[in-house]
Amino acid sequence: MEGINKTTKIQFFFRPFSLDPEVQMIIFVAFLVMYLTSLSGNAIIAVIVQINHSLHTPMYFFLANLAVLEIFYTSSIAPLALANLLSMGQTPVSIIGCGTQMFFFVFLGAADCVLLAIMAYDRFIAICYPLRYTLIMSWSFCVELMLGSLVLGFLLSLPLTILIFHLPFCHHNEIYHFYCDMPAVMHLACANTHVHRTTLYIISFVVLSIPLSLISISYVFIVVAIFRIKSAEGRHRALSTCSSHIIVVLLQYGCTSFIYLSPSSSYSPEMGQRVSVVYTFITPILNPLIYSLRNKDLKDALRKALRMFQVG
């Protein structure tokens, strides 16, 4: 066991994007702008939904919760990544800190994926069964669905994080990433990780493939129902609402599937680092932009809030 340190004194470091300080500073500014934009955009959506009684519907309830999830999700990654960029990869993170970040990243990311499936189900009921919508999507049921996504995320994240951090880590402690991502951390272990990689693949399959299948099935029925709508305005409104959700789903599921459902033999640390930027920084920005720009009710509520702010 010599050369293996299993104590909590282990410290990890993140490999910088570039050895050039100027390049690192440019990336730092870009990440900081994206992080602040994500925080403000998602916070605005959550507040707008909260203060407008006309938006107190299941669809906007889930949208506001998605915005709050995105705030915490990005915040579990961004501060440490920004500190690491400024220090040229010299910001240490303890094994406990790394495990904590991984837990919250997986927990919130899994809940995010499940919530997107719930939002697709909500649109399926609203468009395919409009007369029964208020009966099916009761407030108590909506709260249960939201809590269920959080519980599922927690139950998937905790055992996976514990399993990974029971691995022995050797002297090489530089993580080829900007946060404690699971494949990157397992890459540092000096033990056989076959069981851990298989477990990660199974959990990733559950979190990504099953909700995506449910979303796909929901939208098959939704598209059929939309084309049965006789009113052109009704079709346009339904398509506008659903297309926003589809764009977010493609971005979120596409990038995460590329990282976690690809064969371990084809895992590339460089590619993993770059693709991860999309779903940790870019997607949380696009969510409020896509939903606000393509949703008339949300745009009207935002204009009303801005007018009230200017008058006040």
Side-chain angles (χ1 to χ4, degrees):
M1 297 297 291
E2 188 176 353
I4 301 175
N5 189 348
K6 290 186 176 181
T7 70
T8 55
K9 295 180 180 180
I10 295 176
Q11 287 188 322
F12 294 114
F13 294 87
F14 300 104
R15 180 175 294 192
F17 282 88
S18 171
L19 296 178
D20 187 339
E22 292 184 2
V23 173
Q24 283 285 101
M25 183 55 66
I26 292 171
I27 297 173
F28 169 80
V29 172
F31 275 29
L32 180 61
V33 170
M34 287 190 288
Y35 177 51
L36 294 178
T37 304
S38 171
L39 287 183
S40 56
N42 284 294
I44 287 170
I45 284 187
V47 171
I48 290 296
V49 171
Q50 178 64 31
I51 65 176
N52 280 271
H53 292 288
S54 61
L55 299 181
H56 289 183
T57 63
M59 183 179 82
Y60 293 106
F61 168 76
F62 293 129
L63 180 58
N65 277 280
L66 178 67
V68 173
L69 269 182
E70 294 285 12
I71 289 172
F72 286 107
Y73 174 75
T74 311
S75 297
S76 70
I77 302 295
L80 189 57
L82 291 169
N84 184 64
L85 283 165
L86 275 181
S87 66
M88 290 293 295
Q90 296 304 308
T91 300
V93 57
S94 67
I95 193 167
I96 294 176
C98 193
T100 302
Q101 185 188 58
M102 183 183 291
F103 166 76
F104 280 105
F105 170 72
V106 178
F107 165 45
L108 297 168
D112 196 305
C113 289
V114 175
L115 182 55
L116 287 174
I118 292 171
M119 292 171 73
Y121 175 74
D122 171 69
R123 291 300 83 208
F124 164 71
I125 299 298
I127 293 171
C128 297
Y129 300 98
L131 298 179
R132 298 175 57 191
Y133 179 71
T134 53
L135 179 64
I136 297 173
M137 300 302 294
S138 64
W139 278 113
S140 59
F141 185 52
C142 291
V143 172
E144 287 171 2
L145 288 173
M146 186 63 226
L147 290 176
S149 69
L150 294 173
V151 170
L152 184 59
F154 177 86
L155 293 177
L156 291 171
S157 177
L158 185 61
L160 182 61
T161 305
I162 292 173
L163 183 67
I164 290 174
F165 281 92
H166 266 78
L167 284 167
F169 295 97
C170 305
H171 292 298
H172 182 64
N173 60 352
E174 185 183 56
I175 300 174
Y176 203 134
H177 219 300
F178 58 89
Y179 67 95
C180 292
D181 195 22
M182 291 167 289
V185 172
M186 283 193 291
H187 195 67
L188 300 182
C190 46
N192 191 319
T193 59
H194 176 72
V195 173
H196 304 74
R197 293 184 186 280
T198 302
T199 305
L200 173 59
Y201 186 87
I202 292 170
I203 290 178
S204 299
F205 185 84
V206 170
V207 171
L208 297 171
S209 299
I210 294 178
L212 184 58
S213 299
L214 295 174
I215 291 171
S216 302
I217 293 169
S218 297
Y219 273 103
V220 169
F221 287 102
I222 287 171
V223 169
V224 172
I226 286 175
F227 282 106
R228 288 178 179 171
I229 298 174
K230 295 179 180 180
S231 165
E233 183 182 349
R235 282 197 303 271
H236 176 74
R237 185 181 179 87
L239 282 170
S240 177
T241 302
C242 294
S243 61
S244 303
H245 185 252
I246 291 172
I247 293 169
V248 171
V249 166
L250 290 175
L251 282 169
Q252 182 77 11
Y253 282 86
C255 294
T256 49
S257 297
F258 178 82
I259 297 296
Y260 298 111
L261 295 183
S262 298
S264 57
S265 58
S266 65
Y267 175 74
S268 166
E270 297 90 345
M271 186 61 69
Q273 188 184 48
R274 290 176 176 85
V275 174
S276 296
V277 174
V278 176
Y279 59 81
T280 54
F281 281 95
I282 297 176
T283 304
I285 295 174
L286 294 179
N287 283 357
L289 286 175
I290 290 169
Y291 281 112
S292 60
L293 292 176
R294 299 184 65 86
N295 189 294
K296 183 178 181 299
D297 294 336
L298 203 57
K299 284 192 289 186
D300 290 343
L302 184 57
R303 291 193 193 100
K304 181 181 176 182
L306 287 173
R307 283 197 298 267
M308 291 174 61
F309 179 77
Q310 289 171 354
V311 170

